[in-house]
Amino acid sequence: MQRIAMIVAIALVIITACGPPIPGPTTTDTVRTVTIFYTSDEEGYLEPIQTGSNTLGGAANLLAALRQRGYDPDGDDALLLSGGDMWTGPAISSWFQGASTVQVFNRMGYDAAAVGNHDLDFSQEVLLANADAAAFPFLTANVTRADTGAWPKFAQPYVIREVTGGQVAIVGLTTTPTPRLVTSAHVEGRAFGEYADALRRVVPQARAEGADLVVVVAHVSPSELEVLAPVAAELS
């Protein structure tokens, strides 16, 4: 995916949401607001970058910007999500194979992260070690074992979080060209399935577990996400 320091990007939008139509409020309705803070392609850029007179990015600057917009790492009224490609960028990130990014994201209070293609740059074993060290889950609903269809140990298809008293399911998707983008040994034994098939498989499961809202955080190109809009409508 695009190799730029997008850790400075903050989006207060849902990537893809599947849910029942929200009726207009009445005297008995409870109206909840869910705020989503989103970054993607952070690629290990934890330190700010100086470009001329401008200072760009950096985890500390990002957290300060998030706090200015109301984010509280200990609060329960917002989600902080990553779209994946969490590491592989500056030399320090590659040297520690993503461990430094995980430590910082833990402190920042990330709720979940999609698995991106660069997150497999250092092998499935390294990804599993980073997942074990993370205080938040790595998510991918379309990456499975090629032989059994089971989920990989380094990720789960979705997680359900309580936000402002409601149950929000977060589903992850990983870009299907990943086997062409990383060393073949790093994806050995893995199948990268179609996004729509994965959503049709896991969204009903999340609904059955009580999810009021389903959010998809995807390491997927915008054009491919647009194609998934009818699937979101189908599953709502």
Side-chain angles (χ1 to χ4, degrees):
M1 304 298 283
Q2 193 173 17
R3 292 183 59 80
I4 56 177
M6 290 192 67
I7 196 167
V8 297
I10 303 171
L12 307 184
V13 295
I14 296 175
I15 303 304
T16 304
C18 314
I22 301 175
T26 68
T27 55
T28 58
D29 285 333
T30 298
V31 178
R32 298 184 177 94
T33 298
V34 177
T35 301
I36 297 179
F37 297 95
Y38 171 77
T39 66
S40 185
D41 295 75
E42 302 90 1
E43 298 187 355
Y45 284 94
L46 305 176
E47 297 289 337
I49 299 172
Q50 196 70 31
T51 59
S53 60
N54 297 318
T55 301
L56 304 178
N61 290 337
L62 172 61
L63 184 57
L66 290 169
R67 288 186 180 278
Q68 289 175 358
R69 288 158 176 79
Y71 173 66
D72 178 1
D74 299 317
D76 62 356
D77 60 349
L79 292 169
L80 177 56
L81 307 176
S82 169
D85 275 9
M86 292 173 278
W87 46 79
T88 307
I92 194 69
S93 173
S94 297
W95 178 264
F96 289 106
Q97 298 185 324
S100 53
T101 300
V102 171
Q103 292 174 5
V104 171
F105 279 19
N106 284 345
R107 296 293 296 272
M108 293 177 68
Y110 272 81
D111 290 285
V115 174
N117 52 284
H118 279 304
D119 299 321
L120 281 155
D121 279 348
F122 303 114
S123 80
Q124 294 181 45
E125 291 74 20
V126 170
L127 181 54
L128 177 59
N130 285 338
D132 288 342
F136 55 95
F138 294 173
L139 304 177
T140 178
N142 66 308
V143 179
T144 59
R145 284 189 53 164
D147 55 353
T148 66
W151 310 115
K153 292 181 179 180
F154 56 72
Q156 58 194 68
Y158 63 91
V159 66
I160 297 179
R161 298 290 195 209
E162 183 173 340
V163 187
T164 63
Q167 300 295 310
V168 180
I170 309 160
V171 179
L173 293 175
T174 301
T175 185
T176 53
T178 295
R180 303 196 302 270
L181 301 174
V182 303
T183 302
S184 59
H186 294 175
V187 292
E188 184 177 359
R190 301 298 167 191
F192 289 73
E194 295 299 324
Y195 311 127
D197 293 341
L199 293 179
R200 291 188 179 104
R201 178 182 179 185
V202 304
V203 169
Q205 295 178 17
R207 290 288 193 193
E209 291 182 28
D212 302 307
L213 175 70
V214 180
V215 175
V216 178
V217 57
H219 199 77
V220 176
S221 68
S223 60
E224 291 176 300
L225 285 178
E226 290 176 5
V227 174
L228 286 177
V231 180
E234 167 194 329
L235 296 172
S236 66

